[in-house]
Amino acid sequence: MDHKTALAQISAETTTALTRRENRTGLLHLAGHLGLLLLSGTAIAIQVSLWWLLLPVHGVLIVFLFTLEHEATHQTPFANVTLNDWVGRACGLMILLPFEWFRYFHLAHHRHTNDPAKDPELLSGAKPDTWRSYLTYVSGFSYWTSMSRQLWLNATGKAIAPYLPPRALPRIKNEARLMLTLYAFALLSLLVTPAFIWLWIVPVLLGQPALRLYLLAEHGRCAFVSNMLENTRTTYTNRIVRFIAWNMPFHAEHHAAPQVPFHKLPALNAHLKDKLLVTSGSYTEFTKETIEHLRR
């Protein structure tokens, strides 16, 4: 059974309820995520006992804003369109991922999920299948270099891709230039305080590997087919990971019905779980299986 057939079995009333958007739940979740960031950031800033142990924790909280930016491209975290856009832009600034560009990149990924000839995620870099490529991917090195290059191409008006409509290019260029300007001011702040290093640069470098391992499970070792229940993996994990990842571990459900807000994906899972073709019991389980795959 493919995802379209599975979704067709859900009643119209239930589908309407699942796709209804609201502001309150998203704002509460955002407040919780930002609250954790404020706590970890404050502890690092005032250098509480063993504060350096909080650096990777703070970094994970920052880099997992990717999952919120990702959701904002679908306009689903909040009912308010403007709120979705500005939250997405703010998240993109924190992780070097320009929102205006990523919106089109990601929607193309949804249209052509795991299609080697059309999915921009695959075209921008194949999933790691050797120890060297795996370690490079997990380190985050390839992410930071590729996004730095993309940001520069955007800012210089040289961003060209089949998924980028001409009407969007001015917005993409202006956003990139604004981001580069803000990064320049952040670097200048180092003349006054090292806060930028300890509250952003070091944490995101330490936190990025966790996000890379998480993202690898979304489509890694999945079939190159159009069925979202087969080309995408749902990973059953604990509440903490689901919280900081904005319920995106329910990834097959998200790909099957991207119009469903993040907080309703568990409910959608209840309808689809018996039809999912690729699942993992945890990210640890997936990582162990990936390592075994590389050994073979």
Side-chain angles (χ1 to χ4, degrees), residues 43-44 47-58 198 202 206:
I44 292 169
Q47 296 190 355
V48 298
S49 179
L50 300 177
W51 63 272
W52 47 274
L53 290 176
L54 289 173
L55 290 173
V57 175
H58 188 64
W198 296 110
V202 172
L206 294 174

Side-chain angles (χ1 to χ4, degrees), residues 63-75:
V63 299
F64 267 82
L65 288 172
F66 165 83
T67 53
L68 173 54
E69 179 178 4
H70 153 272
E71 272 294 273
T73 65
H74 297 286
Q75 296 286 338

Side-chain angles (χ1 to χ4, degrees), residues 62-188:
I62 294 175
V63 299
F64 267 82
L65 288 172
F66 165 83
T67 53
L68 173 54
E69 179 178 4
H70 153 272
E71 272 294 273
T73 65
H74 297 286
Q75 296 286 338
T76 51
F78 314 100
N80 186 284
V81 172
T82 302
L83 181 58
N84 280 305
D85 286 347
W86 281 105
V87 167
R89 293 182 185 117
C91 291
L93 181 66
M94 295 294 292
I95 58 175
L96 204 68
L97 184 61
F99 178 71
E100 293 295 340
W101 169 83
F102 181 63
R103 186 203 308 267
Y104 297 102
F105 175 94
H106 184 67
L107 295 182
H109 161 65
H110 267 264
R111 286 194 299 271
H112 309 293
T113 305
N114 251 24
D115 181 340
K118 296 181 179 180
D119 186 344
E121 278 197 7
L122 294 178
L123 293 173
S124 63
K127 299 297 182 183
D129 57 1
T130 66
W131 278 110
R132 181 176 181 178
S133 61
Y134 179 75
L135 293 175
T136 300
Y137 174 87
V138 171
S139 72
F141 177 79
S142 55
Y143 171 79
W144 296 120
T145 54
S146 65
M147 290 317 306
S148 296
R149 180 177 180 275
Q150 187 64 57
L151 189 61
W152 181 254
L153 289 175
N154 291 358
T156 55
K158 297 178 181 178
I160 300 174
Y163 52 81
L164 294 177
R167 70 179 186 280
L169 296 180
R171 294 199 312 273
I172 290 172
K173 181 170 67 175
N174 291 337
E175 177 191 46
R177 291 180 175 182
L178 176 59
M179 290 176 69
L180 289 174
T181 300
L182 293 175
Y183 292 146
F185 278 114
L187 288 173
L188 286 175

